[in-house]
Amino acid sequence: QIPSAALLGVLIERDLQVAGAGGLLFQLMPGASEEAIQALENRLAQHDKGISSIVAESASMEELVAALMGDLDYQILEKRPIRFQCTCSKERVSNTLVSLGKDGLREIMEDKQAELICHFCNEHYNFTEAELVELYNQVTKDF
């Protein structure tokens, strides 16, 4: 295991607007000394404000890291933009239907259509009767 610290927070104003939201994942490099680990733990524990307040007061990620790290020596190795990206596809979702087996697919085929919704991105995938028959044939061929 890699010694790690995750800080996450959201600061909500009285009018229910988000004043700051963010998080950081700290991971020590291989070979980090016990002194470095203890220094980081002590530094992160000594903040009297929550991470959400520090996020709200920071203009950039670099400023946020500097506020958290203080006088500790650190190096930012990489910066990448983050975004939510679901990897679902009709093919991947169809595997869910296949996993139901012959009996499960036969029952769904009675409706002559199916709609599956990805619970991560809310994408809707519709399957026609012909597509369901094709999946059923795939399942029965594998048995």
Side-chain angles (χ1 to χ4, degrees):
Q1 288 186 342
I2 299 172
S4 304
L7 305 174
L8 304 169
V10 178
L11 181 64
I12 307 292
E13 297 287 353
R14 291 190 188 274
D15 64 357
L16 301 180
Q17 295 295 311
V18 174
L24 288 169
L25 174 66
F26 291 89
Q27 290 188 320
L28 297 170
M29 297 299 291
S33 68
E34 282 300 317
E35 294 80 25
I37 295 170
Q38 192 61 52
L40 180 60
E41 287 176 352
N42 291 342
R43 178 68 189 162
L44 295 178
Q46 70 182 233
H47 286 284
D48 54 351
K49 300 180 196 177
I51 181 68
S52 52
S53 294
I54 298 169
V55 167
E57 295 169 2
S58 300
S60 67
M61 189 56 81
E62 291 80 8
E63 193 175 305
L64 173 63
V65 172
L68 287 169
M69 298 300 287
D71 60 354
L72 290 179
D73 187 30
Y74 66 93
Q75 182 179 12
I76 298 173
L77 299 178
E78 182 178 6
K79 294 190 292 186
R80 286 188 272 170
I82 59 168
R83 63 185 169 102
F84 174 78
Q85 180 179 351
C86 188
T87 58
C88 72
S89 65
K90 190 163 187 175
E91 179 182 349
R92 290 184 79 178
V93 171
S94 69
N95 290 334
T96 303
L97 290 170
V98 169
S99 72
L100 297 174
K102 292 189 305 187
D103 294 336
L105 267 172
R106 191 178 307 119
E107 186 176 324
I108 289 175
M109 289 171 58
E110 291 173 7
D111 292 335
K112 307 212 183 299
Q113 65 175 349
E115 179 183 56
L116 275 71
I117 301 169
C118 176
H119 290 285
F120 295 105
C121 68
N122 205 34
E123 183 72 33
H124 292 243
Y125 293 98
N126 294 299
F127 291 85
T128 64
E129 183 178 15
E131 290 170 320
L132 292 171
V133 168
E134 184 179 321
L135 291 173
Y136 181 81
N137 290 338
Q138 177 184 333
V139 170
T140 56
K141 179 184 78 170
D142 292 341
F143 283 106

